Amino acid sequence: MIGITYHEDYNKYDLGIDHPLVGDKPRKSIEFFKEKNIMKDIKLFSPEKATEKDLLRAHSKNYVNRVKDLSKTGGMLSSDTPAPIGIYNIASLATGGSILAGEKLFEGFNIMANPLAGFHHAGRDFSSGFCFFNDIAVIIEYLREKQKLKRFLVVDLDVHHGNGTQDIYSSDPTVLNLSFHQDGKTLYPGTGSLDYIGRDKGEGFTINLPLPPGTGSASYLNAFNEIIPQITRQFDPEIIIYQSGVDTHHSDPLADLNLTNQTYYHLAKKLMKLSSTTCNKLLVLFGGGYNSNASVTSYYNIMCGLLDKKEYKKEKDIPDKKTDEVKILVSKLKKLLAKYWDL
Ligand SMILES: [Zn+2]
């Protein structure tokens, strides 16, 4: 049994008719799960809004006030992120969903998911990239306070680099922030270079694998197998937070990686197994995905992987022309991390 936090108002997270972020993706995902008959294995929980106190564990007072003020009048948070009237409440509700999901991991659930979550472009004092509040950081700080957790693993597989999460945690060795993303030289937000491994006490606890455009499923899964299980076992996290963005799909209009539907099944299953052999607490935050139909299918496959189902959606494989290039990047990364991790 997996728990999902869901609220009808999630579907109001809509940044406008011409904006790539489509508001009703959470509803469509749940409807598709119903249609495919997996809701019998899923329990829904209705979240409440995160409080200002929750938000302030991760963000500055100035920033929270700025979003609140913009939300009253409408306006632009940044050049790519319009702030429609009322967005403060909706973004707080999404964040509340991640908090509730995190709490449930301490009330008998081993896997929890939030379909409007993983807002990794929000830093302590800034944001863009369709994000308002960094729910990853908000739930980390919530659990640090309430459950006294000391080791948090973030596995961020969204196609974009999580510059906000990196901003908040690059000097913090209690949060291992591991991100695979399309190379910042070719995609927003431009950060997440391979040689950036954190700073001060956090050195070695930021791990970035920037991938070339065209990277396909074979290289991606191989890179996952070479890095993530070893790091997870050595770090020994008390919770794994999986930002499961599906904008790595070949049809995504915003990015250029070439993953297929079935890859999400395998990635989710691998993370479920890793969690069950370590902390047994997996928080899945759905993240980005801008081809609505492909995203819903990919999220369905993620649920099938998490539920260890035999059946899932498959599509035609795409030849992967980047295997050699990605292999070189992985060995570079291993070399760079050798001082900190046994890979
Ligand atoms: Zn993304």
Side-chain angles (χ1 to χ4, degrees), residues 235-282:
F235 182 63
D236 190 22
E238 292 167 299
I239 181 171
I240 300 176
I241 301 173
Y242 166 26
Q243 208 277 21
S244 65
V246 294
D247 38 13
T248 42
H249 190 261
H250 62 88
S251 71
D252 197 276
L254 297 194
D256 315 293
L257 297 198
N258 266 345
L259 268 50
T260 51
N261 279 331
Q262 49 269 34
T263 316
Y264 303 106
Y265 171 83
H266 297 298
L267 292 168
K269 191 164 169 169
K270 283 171 191 291
L271 279 158
M272 177 272 285
K273 295 238 149 117
L274 268 177
S275 171
S276 68
T277 53
T278 53
C279 51
N280 216 6
K281 289 184 173 50
L282 181 60

Side-chain angles (χ1 to χ4, degrees), residues 120-121 158-160 247 288 290:
H120 60 173
H121 297 305
D158 193 279
V159 79
H160 301 97
D247 38 13
Y290 303 97

Side-chain angles (χ1 to χ4, degrees), residues 8-259:
E8 263 305 305
D9 286 353
Y10 272 8
N11 303 292
K12 294 180 184 162
Y13 197 103
D14 198 322
L15 303 187
I17 195 127
D18 295 325
H19 198 275
L21 194 145
V22 183
D24 62 353
K25 211 170 53 176
R27 181 189 295 130
K28 279 189 173 158
S29 300
I30 300 291
E31 277 170 3
F32 194 62
F33 300 166
K34 277 185 191 150
E35 198 184 309
K36 302 300 288 179
N37 204 26
I38 58 166
M39 286 309 284
K40 60 182 183 319
D41 300 314
I42 293 171
K43 188 170 164 57
L44 293 182
F45 294 96
S46 183
E48 287 175 12
K49 285 186 288 180
T51 64
E52 191 168 316
K53 191 177 168 202
D54 294 328
L55 301 175
L56 289 173
R57 289 194 189 93
H59 295 286
S60 71
K61 180 99 183 152
N62 267 346
Y63 177 73
V64 172
N65 284 341
R66 203 174 137 226
V67 177
K68 203 186 268 178
D69 290 346
L70 268 176
S71 178
K72 284 179 197 143
T73 55
M76 295 298 284
L77 180 68
S78 71
S79 59
D80 69 355
T81 307
I85 290 174
I87 194 67
Y88 181 88
N89 284 340
I90 306 301
S92 301
L93 183 64
T95 310
S98 295
I99 293 176
L100 179 61
E103 274 184 322
K104 291 284 169 198
L105 290 173
F106 294 83
E107 294 169 14
F109 278 82
N110 303 122
I111 303 174
M112 287 294 305
N114 182 3
L116 184 63
F119 294 101
H120 60 173
H121 297 305
R124 183 169 294 283
D125 209 23
F126 67 87
S127 190
S128 59
F130 327 151
C131 297
F132 294 90
F133 301 125
N134 191 319
D135 57 313
I136 301 169
V138 169
I139 186 60
I140 287 174
E141 296 314 317
Y142 183 92
L143 293 176
R144 197 195 299 277
E145 188 180 312
K146 308 280 179 188
Q147 299 290 341
K148 311 291 176 219
L149 297 196
K150 293 187 181 73
R151 288 183 312 283
F152 306 85
L153 173 63
V154 179
V155 178
D156 187 337
L157 301 185
D158 193 279
V159 79
H160 301 97
H161 175 241
N163 57 327
T165 316
Q166 182 170 288
D167 169 69
I168 299 170
Y169 291 117
S170 64
S171 62
D172 185 342
T174 68
V175 178
L176 202 168
N177 186 21
L178 200 162
S179 174
F180 284 10
H181 44 268
Q182 185 177 327
D183 194 328
K185 289 191 212 76
T186 60
L187 188 69
Y188 175 88
T191 48
S193 66
L194 188 128
D195 55 9
Y196 187 77
I197 53 164
R199 59 187 164 86
D200 306 326
K201 279 187 186 153
E203 220 181 83
F205 292 88
T206 292
I207 299 175
N208 286 314
L209 183 66
L211 296 159
T215 297
S217 297
S219 320
Y220 198 95
L221 286 166
N222 185 56
F224 184 104
N225 292 340
E226 292 274 322
I227 308 273
I228 295 179
Q230 293 83 333
I231 295 276
T232 304
R233 288 193 197 101
Q234 286 169 56
F235 182 63
D236 190 22
E238 292 167 299
I239 181 171
I240 300 176
I241 301 173
Y242 166 26
Q243 208 277 21
S244 65
V246 294
D247 38 13
T248 42
H249 190 261
H250 62 88
S251 71
D252 197 276
L254 297 194
D256 315 293
L257 297 198
N258 266 345
L259 268 50

